[in-house]
Amino acid sequence: MKNIVIGVGNVLFKDEGVGIYASKYLEENYEFDGNLEIIEGGTLGFKLMTFFQEYDNVIILDTVSIEDKAGEIFRLPSDVLLGLGTYRKTAHEVEIVEMLEICSVLDKHAEVTILGIIPKDIETVEIGLTDEIEDRFEELILQAVKEIESIGIKATKKNNKSIKTIAHELIGSYNGEHLTRIPNEEDTTWN
């Protein structure tokens, strides 16, 4: 069985990056005993379709645009997702549902499950998560581990890197904390 976890989203728009952070968090903090690949799908959109065709199980970590409280976590198998209709609000949500619709008519396609969290803010251009989503991030990870184990892959915690550390390693910034600025030629305070 070929299995993959795909973190989807855009880290430039606050909570929209939660799937990317979650996939990296799993990769950095867990070991998996079995055939499992973890990737950051970013905003690849329709390029993700090959994963839907080549893998047996696809677990997508993402935000979900469902009318409920920010931070609520949902498990959406592809058949449920296809029936939601109003789910599609961000570009990659639209593309994921459209890919599922296309794959549903093919002879062979993966079992696709989306683990999604309702975002608080996907419009502000800032790296990092809102407090509401950061407070629920560990629960999202535990749900992802549970989903991975449900397809027969054992997960063992190996590290305890924080979301903040992972974000710094990915992009060097988190919630307004930036790397030291690069001096210009007139700046004499740098030696």
Side-chain angles (χ1 to χ4, degrees):
M1 297 280 281
K2 288 179 68 178
N3 308 293
I4 191 165
V5 173
I6 306 172
V8 180
N10 187 337
V11 296
L12 298 178
F13 294 98
K14 288 300 272 183
D15 296 338
E16 178 75 5
V18 70
I20 301 296
Y21 295 134
S23 64
K24 192 65 175 171
Y25 186 94
L26 287 169
E27 194 174 50
E28 293 287 329
N29 288 314
Y30 286 86
E31 288 179 342
F32 299 97
D33 183 21
N35 185 2
L36 181 71
E37 188 176 347
I38 300 175
I39 67 164
E40 298 163 37
T43 57
L44 288 176
F46 282 103
K47 293 179 183 174
L48 294 174
M49 186 176 286
T50 57
F51 297 111
F52 289 24
Q53 294 173 301
E54 295 174 7
Y55 285 77
D56 298 296
N57 294 293
V58 175
I59 299 168
I60 297 174
L61 306 175
D62 197 3
T63 58
V64 288
S65 298
I66 295 175
E67 296 300 322
D68 205 329
K69 186 175 131 190
E72 292 299 309
I73 299 168
F74 287 84
R75 179 187 182 273
L76 301 169
S78 58
D79 58 334
V80 172
L81 184 64
L82 287 171
L84 283 179
T86 59
Y87 160 76
R88 317 167 199 205
K89 288 196 178 167
T90 67
H92 67 271
E93 288 174 351
V94 170
E95 291 168 338
I96 287 170
V97 172
E98 287 176 351
M99 284 185 289
L100 288 172
E101 289 170 344
I102 292 167
C103 287
S104 69
V105 299
L106 301 175
D107 290 335
K108 182 190 180 302
H109 59 86
E111 288 294 320
V112 179
T113 302
I114 293 186
L115 286 178
I117 189 166
I118 297 177
K120 172 79 174 177
D121 181 354
I122 59 172
E123 296 175 1
T124 302
V125 179
E126 185 178 340
I127 293 165
L129 301 173
T130 58
D131 290 341
E132 291 84 349
I133 303 310
E134 194 168 338
D135 289 346
R136 297 282 292 163
F137 185 79
E138 189 63 34
E139 181 61 29
L140 177 64
I141 294 301
L142 293 176
Q143 290 299 318
V145 168
K146 181 178 175 183
E147 190 67 31
I148 291 165
E149 289 182 334
S150 79
I151 58 174
I153 296 172
K154 186 176 187 298
T156 306
K157 189 126 186 209
K158 65 177 182 177
N159 289 322
N160 200 24
K161 283 188 178 180
S162 70
I163 180 64
K164 186 175 177 179
T165 300
I166 288 168
H168 274 284
E169 290 174 355
L170 276 172
I171 41 191
S173 177
Y174 190 74
N175 279 336
E177 297 172 359
H178 301 286
L179 294 175
T180 306
R181 73 178 175 86
I182 299 171
N184 60 36
E185 291 177 22
E186 292 84 34
D187 193 343
T188 59
T189 60
W190 291 68
N191 293 325

